[in-house]
Amino acid sequence: MQPQQKLSGIFTPNLVPYDSKGEINEPELRRYIDWLIEKGVHGLYPNGSTGEFTRFTPEERRRIVAIIADQTKGRVPILAGAAEANVRETIKACEYYHSLGIRAVAIVAPFYYKLSPASVYAYFKEIGDNTPIDVTLYNIPMFASPIDVPTIQRLSEECEKIVAIKDSSGDIPNMIRMIQAVRPNRPDFSFLTGWDAALMPLLLSGADGGTNASSGVVPELTRKLYDLTMSAQLDEARRVQYDLLTLFDTMIYSAEFPEGFRAAVELRGFQMGQGRQPSTSEQQTDISTLSRTLQCMLSQHGFTNEPIGGCATGITEELGSNDVSQIVQRVVAELNRRNLI
């Protein structure tokens, strides 16, 4: 059997548009997929955190992947989120996605219950021994049991079907430790970062690509950053990384995740609809304010027109000093929570 191509490049964690009834808007989802592929993303990643997988039923998750597979028609590989509530249902999801011809699945460590490294290993070992499709480990310790480096190394050596890890911790040194531990014995093993703010430094440290929420909003920028970094055009890559960081921080810290990203995709011309997470009138007002800020940021790259009334010359003027202070405080608080500062 011909070996599968190594997972690499930018995989977009797909948002899902809703219709007026709060159901999956299939025509708009298909249009969005075509646009992402045309803009140069290397692959698609449905049913991830950005795609709000916990807010869909298992049947809806399967339907989302089936729609995307049908629309993609093999133009780019698909890495499908396959995490279900328990190992049996997760293996069933693996079997279904394999039947669709999906390239690989991503599976988050067990969530809700905080498990020991031994239990995390046993969970993925059960999946690795019984899956018909390649598996990407998904490390997101802010939401699920962490997957530590010894566990990743052991699974990579014992399970041929476990072929990659997607790390969304934002912990650069720890991902370097993963690469250092695994790559000598599994050179085919892929390392993908889910933290947009660290895309360039992790590519330079040996990562193969990313699953970056920003690529669903500005696929042109994330693809450009990847290409510049991989071709060692580092000064220009650094400038793109700084721009991407500013946009990413604004989208992720100025609203409940992933509403900032949904608002930004609306500005790129897609009808995303009202999300399934209820919000207060104050939160809806905040999103409207955020949308204007994002429109100003996107207009600087020619992705949108400026809002009516124009934009301030600098982000601090546009946001106001109190708003900037709040964003900074949220960023610092998040980094403290992750023990990164």
Side-chain angles (χ1 to χ4, degrees), residues 117-118 121-122 125 148-159 182:
Y121 161 79
K125 183 67 163 62
D148 64 13
V149 172
T151 298
I152 298 164
Q153 183 176 15
R154 186 178 179 188
L155 289 167
S156 72
E157 293 174 353
E158 296 180 7
C159 300
V182 173

Side-chain angles (χ1 to χ4, degrees), residues 79-307:
L79 173 65
E84 296 294 341
N86 57 69
V87 71
R88 288 187 178 183
E89 293 303 313
T90 296
I91 292 173
K92 287 181 182 178
C94 291
E95 293 168 348
Y96 177 71
Y97 296 145
H98 182 257
S99 75
L100 294 178
I102 301 303
R103 167 64 186 88
V105 295
I107 301 174
V108 69
F111 45 91
Y112 187 77
Y113 296 105
K114 287 293 185 182
L115 300 180
S116 67
S119 291
V120 171
Y121 161 79
Y123 180 81
F124 281 115
K125 183 67 163 62
E126 181 75 11
I127 294 169
D129 286 346
N130 293 282
T131 176
I133 192 171
D134 285 348
V135 170
T136 296
L137 307 174
Y138 180 4
N139 186 46
I140 184 164
M142 65 283 286
F143 295 141
S145 299
I147 314 173
D148 64 13
V149 172
T151 298
I152 298 164
Q153 183 176 15
R154 186 178 179 188
L155 289 167
S156 72
E157 293 174 353
E158 296 180 7
C159 300
E160 182 182 358
K161 282 290 187 181
I162 296 179
V163 301
I165 184 162
K166 160 186 158 50
D167 181 79
S168 294
S169 68
D171 187 338
I172 296 175
N174 195 58
M175 193 163 186
I176 294 173
R177 294 184 191 104
M178 295 179 194
I179 297 171
Q180 185 181 37
V182 173
R183 187 153 281 164
N185 292 327
R186 281 288 300 273
D188 60 314
F189 199 90
S190 294
F191 297 87
L192 306 172
T193 175
W195 198 247
D196 303 36
L199 179 55
M200 180 185 176
L202 281 169
L203 288 174
L204 291 172
S205 298
D208 299 283
T211 57
N212 304 114
S214 298
S215 69
V217 177
V218 286
E220 306 94 333
L221 279 187
T222 50
R223 176 61 189 263
K224 183 178 182 180
L225 177 55
Y226 177 86
D227 289 344
L228 288 170
T229 304
M230 300 305 286
S231 61
Q233 299 178 64
L234 302 187
D235 288 340
E236 190 174 352
R238 193 178 300 111
R239 286 191 290 271
V240 177
Q241 176 70 85
Y242 290 166
D243 283 347
L244 191 66
L245 172 66
T246 303
L247 179 63
F248 174 71
D249 283 354
T250 303
M251 290 188 292
I252 200 168
Y253 294 122
S254 298
E256 298 286 349
F257 180 76
E259 293 304 319
F261 296 88
R262 295 181 65 84
V265 172
E266 285 260 356
L267 293 169
R268 295 306 307 266
F270 296 93
Q271 299 300 313
M272 300 307 293
Q274 181 67 42
R276 288 185 174 179
Q277 171 59 37
S279 59
T280 66
S281 57
E282 291 84 0
Q283 288 174 310
Q284 292 169 14
T285 300
D286 289 344
I287 286 292
S288 296
T289 302
L290 172 62
S291 182
R292 179 181 174 84
T293 300
L294 291 171
Q295 187 170 353
C296 287
M297 298 176 76
L298 292 172
S299 69
Q300 293 174 5
H301 295 278
F303 296 143
T304 64
N305 296 321
E306 287 191 359

